[in-house]
Amino acid sequence: MMAAEAYNKIEFFSGDSIPLEMHKVRMVQRLYLLPIEERLAAMQQAGNNTFLLKNRDVFIDMLTDSGVNAMSEQQYAAMLMADDSYAGSETFFRLQKTLQEIFGKEYFLPTHQGRAAENILANAFVTSGSHTMMNYHFTTTKAHITRLGGTVHEVTTDEVLNVDSTEPFKGNIDLQKLKATIDEVGADKVAFVRIEAGTNLVGGQPVSLQNMREVSQLCRRLGIMVVLDASLLADNLFFIKTREEACREKSIAEIVLEMSQLMDIIYFSARKLGCARGGGILTSSEEHFKKMRTLVTLYEGFLTYGGMSVREMEALAVGMRETLDVHVISQTPLYVEALGKELDKNGVPTVKPWGGLGCHVDATRFVQGIPQDQYPAGALAAAIFITGGIRGMERGTLSEQRNEDGSEHLADMELVRLAVPKRVFTYSQIKYVADRVSWLYENRELIGGLEFEEEPETLRFFLGRLRPIGDWQEKLVAKFKKDMPTGV
């Protein structure tokens, strides 16, 4: 019996709501949990930026799922089959055939990762004075568009910023807002409408297939191109399958194909989708393909590798087929839910309903006394590392770009994302994370703000360095050692 056929016959949780791993561990990596004094020193050396931490100092790495999902034995085996050549590699044609069968798109352009695909798309279709609508921006997507003189419009539903909403598809585009925005700027000025499935910066919230259908119908009437960012598609597919009534009896393969038919272009990061490396762009338009292929050769490499190694391409071909297995794509959503439930027991505020990618802690409610221009989500991310050696990612004002006049562009939400890569963590590690974050919540009055000491002009959250305002980190360490004398 295939996994898609067995969907309704196999439980995802055990009787006491413990998520079931649909795999077994066959290779391990040693982890180290440093004493809290060393964690503090590591955080200070990293400029209170979790991106600048050395991985050897991290115990539980929840920074991202990008490039750190666990590959399957079949993916590793496939890497031995790689046809290593600069041009015309059989490996490329195997990957292309796989993607054609899954998505039904004729043309595939390989890139080295998702932001490389964004660069190609922006250079091909964004011009100064053009407009792009989307269900929410992603940091690099917005940067590529704005650097070329384009404007990003977020046409989200009102529910997306309601952290306690029970709406199952908070990532949907608001059709009325979309139509009004197009009318305002003019359809001829719209570069494309982008759907991110699901939304990265606002809690990994999914988009329904019905919403994609309605957006596509509107845009095709107006002659506007629809682009799907499918980097987080695996999680989104699980939510469509489990939350969208009309899709419960459909296989994952059927949902993907129907979704693809609604899109003019699909791009993705294979560091997320497919549990491999690399990325790419898919389209059935010969015109769009020819417009982008020169840019791939210019920025990425030749058309049959595009910045990927042939071994990565072989692993991706297998990983994409595995994405059609509901018991593969379920692993992150189920563990995010398990972490969310554990935090919820202790009153820790998180974005609900729990989505894909990771569990998102609501820093606005966690550290209520810190103003946004002191980066509450960044401060909370630093405190979580100091408390437990857990590396999360700030998704708030620190991740925004300053306004043209130099003032802060305050984020809609202040979140700390605790990413849950596929097939990486055990349930006991999830429980450990919940325990340390819950302890921190009980002592949240100790957490203070941050200020920049080195601020890059673009994408500052990657490379910026900050310092704590006051001595709150030393006080946090002292309280931790009082409660946990071992310092671990």
Side-chain angles (χ1 to χ4, degrees):
M1 181 181 293
M2 298 299 291
E5 299 170 1
Y7 173 74
N8 291 318
K9 299 180 175 62
I10 299 178
E11 296 292 335
F12 288 115
F13 290 97
S14 68
D16 52 359
S17 297
I18 296 174
L20 297 176
E21 296 97 337
M22 303 308 294
H23 56 269
K24 62 181 179 180
V25 177
R26 299 181 65 187
M27 183 167 65
V28 297
Q29 178 182 358
R30 179 75 165 87
L31 296 176
Y32 298 90
L33 178 56
L34 300 177
I36 192 168
E37 296 91 346
E38 294 182 37
R39 299 198 294 266
L40 173 62
M43 190 77 264
Q44 292 176 339
Q45 187 177 17
N48 287 278
N49 184 342
T50 56
F51 276 98
L52 301 182
L53 286 166
K54 296 175 181 176
N55 193 51
R56 67 186 181 212
D57 296 330
V58 175
F59 179 51
I60 302 292
D61 193 358
M62 307 183 91
L63 183 74
T64 182
D65 66 333
S66 185
V68 293
N69 292 298
M71 293 201 304
S72 70
E73 59 184 350
Q74 296 301 318
Q75 287 181 283
Y76 280 110
M79 293 172 77
L80 300 177
M81 299 169 53
D83 175 22
D84 207 349
S85 60
Y86 183 94
S89 168
E90 282 301 306
T91 287
F92 170 79
F93 294 114
R94 280 194 286 269
L95 173 58
Q96 182 183 55
K97 184 174 185 292
T98 296
L99 294 171
Q100 287 171 338
E101 291 174 355
I102 292 173
F103 291 97
K105 299 291 189 193
E106 184 175 355
Y107 302 106
F108 168 59
L109 292 165
T111 62
H112 78 272
Q113 64 182 91
R115 75 189 55 160
E118 292 171 343
N119 179 49
I120 302 300
L121 285 164
N123 278 284
F125 300 108
V126 175
T127 57
S128 180
S130 66
H131 299 263
T132 301
M133 291 86 192
M134 54 187 69
N135 53 339
Y136 208 80
H137 76 276
F138 183 62
T139 48
T140 55
T141 318
K142 185 174 182 178
H144 281 302
I145 292 169
T146 56
R147 72 178 173 81
L148 294 170
T151 301
V152 171
H153 302 267
E154 291 168 349
V155 285
T156 60
T157 64
D158 294 338
E159 290 294 299
V160 76
L161 300 180
N162 180 357
V163 293
D164 287 325
S165 170
T166 58
E167 168 61 41
F169 291 103
K170 288 164 63 173
N172 281 355
I173 281 179
D174 186 307
L175 270 293
Q176 297 303 315
K177 291 180 184 178
L178 174 60
K179 182 65 166 61
T181 306
I182 294 172
D183 289 343
E184 180 184 347
V185 304
D188 60 324
K189 297 290 187 181
V190 179
F192 53 82
V193 171
R194 170 182 171 270
I195 300 174
E196 185 180 16
T199 54
N200 193 313
L201 296 187
V202 284
Q205 297 300 310
V207 184
S208 71
L209 183 60
Q210 179 60 28
N211 187 249
M212 295 182 196
R213 188 179 298 113
E214 292 169 350
V215 171
S216 178
Q217 290 170 349
L218 172 62
C219 289
R220 287 181 175 173
R221 286 200 304 270
L222 299 173
I224 295 171
M225 185 169 65
V226 183
V227 173
L228 176 70
D229 179 349
S231 300
L232 296 174
L233 182 62
D235 297 345
N236 205 110
L237 286 169
F238 178 76
F239 292 124
I240 287 176
K241 175 72 175 175
T242 56
R243 294 180 183 178
E244 195 164 356
E245 187 64 35
C247 296
R248 287 187 181 274
E249 300 304 318
K250 294 180 180 180
S251 69
I252 299 299
E254 289 170 335
I255 295 170
V256 171
L257 199 56
E258 184 174 348
M259 184 185 299
S260 180
Q261 291 168 348
L262 301 171
M263 306 298 160
D264 297 291
I265 290 176
I266 297 173
Y267 75 93
F268 63 94
S269 169
R271 297 176 69 84
K272 295 178 181 290
L273 183 66
C275 299
R277 303 289 189 277
I281 305 170
L282 296 156
T283 184
S284 289
S285 167
E286 184 178 7
E287 179 186 354
H288 294 340
F289 169 72
K290 288 182 176 180
K291 196 168 186 177
M292 294 185 286
R293 67 179 178 180
T294 302
L295 296 170
V296 170
T297 306
L298 178 64
Y299 290 117
E300 293 296 297
F302 192 62
L303 293 178
T304 53
Y305 72 92
M308 278 191 280
S309 76
V310 289
R311 290 158 185 80
E312 290 167 342
M313 286 192 282
E314 292 286 3
L316 176 56
V318 174
M320 290 303 300
R321 292 199 182 279
E322 292 177 344
T323 299
L324 303 180
D325 183 343
V326 73
H327 292 293
V328 171
I329 64 177
S330 69
Q331 291 301 284
T332 290
L334 294 183
Y335 270 81
V336 169
E337 181 179 346
L339 177 54
K341 286 179 176 178
E342 289 295 323
L343 293 173
D344 205 42
K345 290 178 185 176
N346 297 304
V348 178
T350 59
V351 175
K352 296 175 184 175
W354 297 299
L357 178 58
C359 189
H360 292 72
V361 180
D362 182 12
T364 300
R365 290 183 292 170
F366 198 115
V367 284
Q368 296 182 21
I370 302 177
Q372 279 191 274
D373 61 1
Q374 293 182 16
Y375 314 114
L380 179 55
I384 288 173
F385 176 77
I386 294 169
T387 301
I390 304 154
R391 174 160 64 170
M393 184 189 295
E394 188 272 357
R395 301 277 70 170
T397 297
L398 188 59
S399 293
E400 296 290 339
Q401 298 176 175
R402 285 187 180 271
N403 298 316
E404 290 185 4
D405 64 0
S407 61
E408 280 290 1
H409 182 82
L410 302 179
D412 292 322
M413 305 176 81
E414 294 286 343
L415 307 177
V416 175
R417 187 183 77 194
L418 300 175
V420 182
K422 288 178 178 59
R423 302 175 294 202
V424 172
F425 297 128
T426 64
Y427 185 55
S428 66
Q429 289 170 324
I430 293 295
K431 297 270 283 186
Y432 166 84
V433 171
D435 178 77
R436 291 304 168 95
V437 175
S438 296
W439 178 90
L440 188 60
Y441 185 64
E442 292 175 359
N443 296 276
R444 58 192 180 277
E445 74 282 352
L446 296 173
I447 305 172
L450 300 173
E451 60 185 5
F452 269 105
E453 59 182 10
E454 180 183 341
E455 182 179 358
E457 290 185 9
T458 304
L459 299 177
R460 61 186 183 174
F461 70 95
F462 277 134
L463 298 173
R465 302 182 70 85
L466 302 100
R467 55 177 168 256
I469 298 173
D471 60 352
W472 64 265
Q473 292 183 342
E474 287 75 14
K475 291 178 179 177
L476 182 67
V477 169
K479 182 62 166 67
F480 183 90
K481 291 180 69 175
K482 181 180 178 181
D483 290 355
M484 301 181 189
T486 63
V488 176

